[in-house]
Structure formats: structure tokens, C-alpha cells
Amino acid sequence: MAERYGSIPSTPLLKDELDIVIPTIRNLDFLEMWRPFFQPYHLIIVQDGDPSKTIKVPEGFDYELYNRNDINRILGPKASCISFKDSACRCFGYMVSKKKYIFTIDDDCFVAKDPSGKEINALEQHIKNLLTPSTPFFFNTLYDPFREGADFVRGYPFSLREGATTAVSHGLWLNIPDYDAPTQLVKPHERNTRFVDAVLTVPKGTLFPMCGMNLAFNRELIGPAMYFGLMGDGQPIGRYDDMWAGWCTKVICDHLGLGVKTGLPYIWHSKASNPFVNLKKEYNGIFWQEELIPFFQSAALSKDCTTVQKCYIELSKQVRAKLGKIDPYFNKLADAMVTWIEAWDELNPSGAAAEKPNGPAK
Amino acid sequence: MSLNIKDNEVDIVIAALRSDLTAFMEKWRPFFSRFHLIIIKDPDMEEDLQIPPGFDHQVFTKSDMAQILGATSINFSGHSCRYFGYLISRKKYIISIDDDCLPARDNTGTLVDAVAQHIVNLKTPATPFFFNTLYDPFCKGADFVRGYPFSLRNGVECALSCGLWLNIADYDAPTQVVKPNERNVRYVDAVMTVPVRAMMPMSGINIGFNRELLGPALLPGLRLAGEGKQRWETMEDIWCGMCAKVVCDHLGLGVKSGLPYVWRGDGVDVKGAMESLKREWEGVKLMEEVAPFFQSVRLPRTAVTAEDCVIEMAAMVKEQLGPLNPVFAGAADAMLEWVKLWKAAGSQGA
């Protein structure tokens, strides 16, 4: 059961165990607003676009910055799996990190306020989400039972109350909602003003659209699954990087008995991207996702897939076998998925692939 | 809410476990008064019911029930008496709220019209096949998010709406004993669809459902040997909810959870909860068998109505759970008896 007595323990900072990964092509002015919350942490900045441009990082932050030249140098031929001219390049940051946890945020996301007017420390909430169990095997109607003031409801089986280790914490956005291009075109003025004070576990067997704008995960548990695909320059699709990673990640989490949470924290999303540009990027995705969803919904991984890498390679084979016929892009993507794992293992040798038991946590 | 709610579409079914309903009904008057109420008096209760004037209502007592149903093996005492109300209603939608619950206030301090919210939930589509991270996409100010497949955006009909409770949350006895002072103060402003194949504990304290679509699956099946009048001494709604969810998943109907909230109760009877614990956590232990069973139920394609589904499930319960505990065999029998009653009640016409 969740904490029972009196004082609420403070959330650990995890400042030596967590990296903040930020993709950018513009500037990092937004970090000023986040300074009180981010300054203790190491930043990994992945600079997309023109590598000759200098990205100015506000003073006082501890960071490493990688541009396209760095990615090519570090990965060599394997750099082909990292997208160019798309924020999907951020997953390079996951790969080079040496920390247990990753928090990734877009450079147009600012600190939001809760209904009482208090500024929301999004990172602290993500940490809370990751450090408390998920409940994927049975839906708790009072949402996250591990939050203060909540618990498992009557009828929730006791044997399932230990929950599962949380691998992913998916946060939300106030102001500009994460809509696709058609919806943006139809509702250009809609703003998300509803603060839903809940964290909940996405049930096992259920897929969801994972947005990469405000996302945290346990890199040791699920990192290799967080490949953001081939997007952007030279690719027939864009704005499906996080979706792809989310579907792969959820299938693997379900297989390995790990949990995915969604809900708090909110950030304030300030910039609405151009819906016409988005429509061009998403166009193929809108049709392809009709095939992709049944694919992921029925994806089954064999019992031998006991590590994330094994799961991911297995998935890549299924992508090639079942999705290749939709478009040659998926054969390229399957290749890239394999390259990604090879690159991951090269940069993260030995001991990184912890065996995870199949089935629900007991 | 701009949905057009017709008065003659809704029955409000109240299980009266206390005799004096005056305070309860006065507080709910703004939200109940336009609808017809079916009030079922707990067959175990001796005193007459006190009901304030000005409500369009019918009361059914133990003798009414016997007269209408004849002999039946179904035990309608305690919280289960409300199922009689579901049986005799002729309306499309039923809303049922425990008689120790009052209207709650939302985050703006406004009283929540729980009836209207349930109806909105039931009249707007559910989205069980893919989770929308912005919750109910049919809510004003929300929509489907990027990455939500377009072919799934029509949604399916919502057959069951499960509301929540502020103040005294619906906890089981062990939790009540450990946390007697905890109050649910968090108003979560969301309705969401419980995804297909995800099991959940349905609390009967505050629900709405489409009687035409799902009626037979809202059934008084599981009766604990030590069943009592306190919610933590029952599992009837939990069992019923598991059946209903399986039926909905099979028939492609939706189940929503979240708003509306009601304000529940005045305090926790810790001594009572402790007594309940001494009776060896009967319901808690049973759930350990119940949950895996329902998670594994697969209904045949030939089951195309809620009745069909209940009959199939009753057979499975008898075969798989019956040997484990007599209450399960009893539940299987009750499920079949319920379908019989349902069909008989239906044949009597409106």
C-alpha cells in the first residue's frame, strides 16, 4: 500500500542518475525558465540541422552537445539509423547517456502552473512516477494507488497490489495540445485548459500514442526500445518518431512485465507547429498507422526474448515480414532497428542487458 | 452539457438500506426531480420508508417483489435489492446511487449533476480499442491526439458509466482499517474509457448503464456467505462489474470510468471494518480466484446479446469456479435464474 503515516517523504533528486535529453535546432532560451528545476542535472543536447550553427546554452548548465558531425564520428556507418532534420535524432542522446534515467523535453515546452497557481516541477513528478510501481494488470479506478491520498479500491486483487516496475512516465501538455495535422487544421484555436490531476497506468495489452515532448523513462530497463525511427530528411514520413517508439516500447513492456504511466506532469506547450507542413510529414503515417496498429496489437514475442534488445530484434524481424509489403520504407526501418541495437550495444557494452522475467511481476 | 436528455429515457434506481431518505432526496432534488425514481426497500428492513414529497416515484417492498417475481432463488436483500429495480424498469438508461451519497462539488465549488454526467457518458461514444492520452475525446476542449488511428475515432456505444466518490472512497475493509482517516479529496476532472480486456473493479455506489444494451449483465450473482450492509462486506457489484466488462468487451461496447463524483458518507466505522476483517476477508480472498477467471473468459461468436453472454459465462463459472467455493456455484445458478427473470419481465411488456 502507499505511504500511510503523516509526512510525505521528499522525492529524491537523482541528480547523478538522470540525464535530460533535449533535441534542438533553434536555441535553448527555454532552459532559463526551467533553471530552478533542471540546473542540478546533466544535459545531453542533440543538435539537429546545420552542424555549423552554434547553439548557445545558457550559463551554469552542465551539458554535452552533439551535432550531426559528432553523431557521424561516433557511430560511423551506423549513424544511418539516426534521423536527420527531425527531432527523432534525440534518441542518439539516450544511446550515449550513461545514466539510469532519461527525461526528454522539447525546446518549446515551458513550466506549467497547476490550478492553485503553483509552478509544476515536471521532472520531480516524472521521478515520482518512475520510482513507484505501475498497475498494468488490473485497472484501479482511483488512478495511481501509490500517490498520496489514494489507494487500491475495493475489489482490486491483493496479489496484484505489488504492481510492476515502472519503465516509462508519459507527461501531458497544457495550452497547445498534441494534435495531428488534420485536427489542427479543423481546430486551430483549441487549447488544452483542462488540468487532470491524475497519473494512471496504461493497462497491459493496450496501446497508446506516446508523445516525446515530455517523457521520462528508465534507460536501464527499456532504453534500447526507445528508438525514434527514420524520420525527416530523405524519409517518406515525419512526426511518427515518438509514436513508433511508443508502440514498440509498449509491446516490449507488456512482454517483460513492466509498466507505463501517463498523466501528470503537465508542461506548457507554447508553439503550434505549422499544420500544412505537418500534414505533408504525417501524410503517409495517417494511412500507414491503420496497418501499424493491428500489427502492434497482435505482435507476440517469444519466451526467448528475455532482454529488451532480443525483444527489439524480434520485433524488427516481424516489421520486415509483415510491414515490408506496405512500403519499402519498412524494410529500411527494420534494418535501422537492427543497426540501432548494434550501435546501442557497442556504446553500452556488457551488463547493460539485464534479463527481465517474462510475465507479471509476482 | 448540451445533450438532449429526455425525461422518459431515464429511471433512477435507489436501493433503500436506510429508512429515512429525506435528507438524501432533498439534496438530490435539483438533479432527480425531473426523472422517475424506482425505490427498492431492503427486504430486511422493518421500518417504513420516509420519502419527501414532489418526486415521481414508485416504492417496491419485499411483498411487492414476491408478488411480481413469484418464487425465485435470487436473494435481493441488502445492496442487491437494486437489481429488482433494474429488472422492472422499462427505460433505456438507469442511474443508481447509494443512499449514503450526496451531490459532490467540483473544483469550482459547483454542485455536480451526477445524473446528467452519467447520461452524457452513456450518450457519447467510448474508445476501448486505443487509449487516448487526453482522456475523453468527445469532451468539449479535447480531441483525439496525434497518433490515434482515424478508423477508431468513431468509437463504440458506451453501455456502462462508472462514477467515483469524494470523501469516503470505496476501499475494502483492510484498507479502511489501516487508513481510517484518509479522505479522497482529489477531484480528477476526466472521463475515460476502460480499454478492452482491461479488468476493473466496478463500484456499484455510483453508476449508470444502458439497460437496453447491457441490462441482463448487471446481475446479482456473487453473494458472500457473510454479506452485510456495509459496502466493504459485499462483492455483488464487483462480480457484476466483471461480468459486465467481459460482456461489453465481447459485444464491442464501451465502459467509462471517472466523472461524475458523488460525496460519500460521514465517517468510517473502523470497529465495523475490524469485525469484517475477523470474518477472514472473505471477499478479498475470493477475488484472487475471480480475477484470473474473468481475465481468461472467451465467449463464443454465437453469443450476440447480453443474455447469451451471461448464459455462457454462467456455465463457465459453474465448471471452473464452482468446485473452488460454493458461493461460485451459487453465483452461476443466480446468473441463469437472472436471465430467466429478465426474459419473463421483458415479456410482460412496457
Side-chain angles (χ1 to χ4, degrees), chain B residues 3-324:
Chain B
L3 279 179
N4 193 13
I5 301 169
K6 297 196 201 81
D7 300 357
N8 61 6
E9 282 188 309
V10 180
D11 267 339
I12 299 179
V13 172
I14 305 295
L17 269 66
R18 61 182 65 192
S19 58
D20 188 355
L21 293 179
T22 314
F24 170 78
M25 293 187 65
E26 284 301 348
K27 291 283 185 194
W28 282 106
R29 189 184 286 274
F31 310 122
F32 280 9
S33 59
R34 59 186 277 214
F35 300 108
H36 177 67
L37 276 70
I38 296 176
I39 301 174
I40 316 293
K41 192 177 139 183
D42 180 358
D44 297 336
M45 197 200 303
E46 308 254 323
E47 309 93 325
D48 287 334
L49 289 184
Q50 292 174 60
I51 295 168
F55 290 92
D56 170 23
H57 72 283
Q58 284 169 281
V59 177
F60 294 90
T61 62
K62 184 174 175 180
S63 54
D64 296 323
M65 288 155 73
Q67 193 175 35
I68 292 168
L69 291 180
T72 175
S73 56
I74 304 253
N75 184 344
F76 286 101
S77 78
H79 285 286
S80 294
C81 67
R82 77 192 64 216
Y83 294 101
F84 179 81
Y86 302 168
L87 195 59
I88 53 146
S89 167
R90 287 289 164 268
K91 302 288 174 58
K92 182 170 184 184
Y93 301 112
I94 288 186
I95 313 294
S96 186
I97 296 175
D98 275 12
D99 65 4
D100 62 348
C101 294
L102 301 176
R105 286 188 191 275
D106 65 19
N107 287 327
T108 69
T110 312
L111 279 179
V112 171
D113 183 347
V115 178
Q117 182 65 55
H118 276 303
I119 311 277
V120 165
N121 293 348
L122 293 167
K123 281 185 173 238
T124 51
T127 53
F129 304 117
F130 207 81
F131 188 84
N132 192 45
T133 49
L134 273 191
Y135 313 110
D136 183 359
F138 298 97
C139 200
K140 193 158 180 277
D143 211 309
F144 291 97
V145 296
R146 175 175 59 96
Y148 202 104
F150 278 80
S151 62
L152 296 180
R153 295 192 190 198
N154 280 343
V156 297
E157 192 151 8
C158 180
L160 179 60
S161 165
C162 304
L164 294 173
W165 348 267
L166 288 175
N167 198 41
I168 310 292
D170 190 11
Y171 290 154
D172 50 47
T175 311
Q176 305 267 28
V177 167
V178 169
K179 295 179 160 189
N181 299 316
E182 182 159 289
R183 297 291 179 266
N184 186 22
V185 297
R186 187 176 287 128
Y187 185 95
V188 178
D189 187 10
V191 181
M192 64 194 74
T193 299
V194 183
V196 69
R197 285 182 307 276
M199 288 288 110
M200 57 168 270
M202 180 190 86
S203 168
I205 293 173
N206 171 20
I207 62 166
F209 63 97
N210 183 322
R211 197 194 63 88
E212 285 174 8
L213 280 178
L214 196 59
L218 272 284
L219 46 84
L222 189 70
R223 192 171 191 96
L224 296 182
E227 174 131 336
K229 308 296 184 193
Q230 298 290 345
R231 268 297 180 193
W232 65 66
E233 295 168 325
T234 71
M235 279 296 191
E236 52 86 10
D237 50 350
I238 307 297
W239 178 270
C240 168
M242 307 283 277
C243 290
K245 183 60 165 55
V246 168
V247 172
C248 285
D249 285 354
H250 178 77
L251 296 179
L253 301 170
V255 175
K256 291 184 184 175
S257 182
L259 302 180
Y261 280 87
V262 295
W263 177 268
R264 182 168 180 249
D266 337 86
V268 175
D269 175 10
V270 180
K271 189 155 165 260
M274 289 286 280
E275 288 301 315
S276 178
L277 277 188
K278 286 179 192 164
R279 267 174 269 157
E280 292 173 46
W281 310 22
E282 186 192 355
V284 164
K285 281 196 210 161
L286 287 177
M287 272 313 289
E288 295 303 322
E289 317 283 357
V290 168
F293 168 77
F294 279 104
Q295 266 163 343
S296 66
V297 167
R298 296 287 176 267
L299 295 170
R301 281 217 189 109
T302 46
V304 296
T305 63
E307 277 116 327
D308 295 344
C309 293
V310 173
I311 293 168
E312 292 286 340
M313 274 198 292
M316 293 177 193
V317 170
K318 189 96 181 187
E319 189 195 314
Q320 295 172 39
L321 291 178
L324 300 175

Side-chain angles (χ1 to χ4, degrees), chain A residues 147-162:
Chain A
R147 280 187 83 195
E148 311 101 56
D151 212 307
F152 291 96
V153 297
R154 176 174 57 101
Y156 201 104
F158 267 77
S159 61
L160 297 180
R161 293 192 188 198
E162 228 179 81

Side-chain angles (χ1 to χ4, degrees), chain A residues 22 27-34 105-107 109-110:
Chain A
I22 306 165
N27 58 64
L28 294 167
D29 296 345
F30 86 118
L31 283 177
E32 275 310 329
M33 201 193 184
W34 285 104
I105 184 169
D106 280 13
D107 62 10
C109 294
F110 293 82

Side-chain angles (χ1 to χ4, degrees), chain A residues 133-211:
Chain A
S134 299
T135 53
F137 310 117
F138 212 83
F139 187 85
N140 193 46
T141 48
L142 270 193
Y143 313 110
D144 188 344
F146 297 96
R147 280 187 83 195
E148 311 101 56
D151 212 307
F152 291 96
V153 297
R154 176 174 57 101
Y156 201 104
F158 267 77
S159 61
L160 297 180
R161 293 192 188 198
E162 228 179 81
T165 312
T166 304
V168 180
S169 168
H170 175 263
L172 295 174
W173 349 272
L174 291 172
N175 196 39
I176 309 287
D178 188 23
Y179 288 160
D180 51 54
T183 310
Q184 283 180 296
L185 286 163
V186 168
K187 294 180 162 191
H189 301 298
E190 185 150 279
R191 298 290 176 265
N192 186 23
T193 56
R194 181 176 288 115
F195 183 92
V196 177
D197 190 2
V199 180
L200 59 136
T201 298
V202 184
K204 179 177 175 180
T206 301
L207 292 176
F208 75 109
M210 184 184 84
C211 173

